[in-house]
Amino acid sequence: LLLTDIASGRAGELSFVAALAVHDAVVELAPGLASRLAVKWPNDLLVGGKKFAGILIEAEGNAAVVGIGVNCAHHPAVTPHPATDLAAAGAAVSPEAVFRALSKTVLDRFAQWKRGEGFAAIRADWLARATGVGQDLRVRLPAKEIAGRFQALDECGRLLLRLPDGRIETISAGEVFAIGQPDQPLPVR
């Protein structure tokens, strides 16, 4: 639970803050996984191309609840996207160890976000760890599916997708898939 003054349009930025905090915590606990870790727009973390963590943000007024789920030792066998856990990826860490590390890294990343650097620094750090930038992908939206190239994130964290006709589509929410893989996550760069 974070108590802060969040402008109504900025609550979504916390998903990127939390993703970086999870990434930092896992690197701290299992440095050998660092080269295999990636963040996936908008709120997943991957190891070896498989999802091991997800984030959900709920905000109202001056409070935000940041929900972070990390598969430490188990993961579901049947999922729409390939899943894994840290133990299966080679890092036997307890939920308590992840929680302790996250307690520090969330505060560090939150402080970075609140400082004068704001979201620009978070955005840059997130993009440096992202999968799919510059790649062709599909985005499943509630009413349609579109395809294009992942250009970047805008100043609010929305995905900028270059469509085949050259136009840029700004995506606020959706499921992202690599082209040619029906429901597979983006590969790790």
Side-chain angles (χ1 to χ4, degrees):
L1 176 64
L2 299 173
L3 299 175
T4 185
D5 293 325
I6 302 172
S8 61
R10 295 194 62 208
E13 295 174 13
L14 289 173
S15 183
F16 298 93
V17 172
L20 288 172
V22 173
H23 188 282
D24 295 347
V26 172
V27 168
E28 178 184 315
L29 294 169
L33 292 183
S35 66
R36 298 175 48 212
L37 292 175
V39 293
K40 177 181 169 267
W41 189 88
N43 57 4
D44 292 335
L45 284 99
L46 310 177
V47 62
K50 296 178 180 179
K51 180 178 174 177
F52 76 93
I55 297 160
L56 178 64
I57 307 293
E58 294 288 335
E60 188 172 317
N62 69 339
V65 176
V66 180
I68 300 172
V70 178
N71 297 337
C72 293
H74 304 284
H75 64 276
V78 179
T79 61
H81 306 285
T84 193
D85 57 73
L86 293 174
V93 295
S94 69
E96 295 80 14
V98 172
F99 184 78
R100 276 192 306 277
L102 268 173
S103 295
K104 177 190 176 302
T105 60
V106 164
L107 291 177
D108 292 345
R109 288 296 184 167
F110 185 69
Q112 178 189 21
W113 179 66
K114 291 291 287 180
R115 284 193 304 263
E117 305 163 32
F119 186 63
I122 293 293
R123 179 182 169 274
D125 285 355
W126 189 94
L127 283 167
R129 293 157 180 80
T131 187
V133 179
Q135 296 177 3
D136 291 333
L137 51 87
R138 295 180 299 119
V139 180
R140 187 177 298 151
L141 304 170
K144 64 181 179 176
E145 190 171 284
I146 58 176
R149 180 155 294 182
F150 183 176
Q151 289 297 120
L153 297 179
D154 73 3
E155 66 282 350
C156 298
R158 295 174 295 206
L159 185 140
L160 299 177
L161 190 69
R162 182 171 300 282
L163 302 178
D165 66 7
R167 290 182 299 120
I168 298 288
E169 181 89 15
T170 303
I171 311 291
S172 297
E175 280 189 272
V176 175
F177 303 94
I179 295 287
Q181 298 175 346
D183 286 338
Q184 298 298 309
L186 295 168
V188 174
R189 298 188 303 147

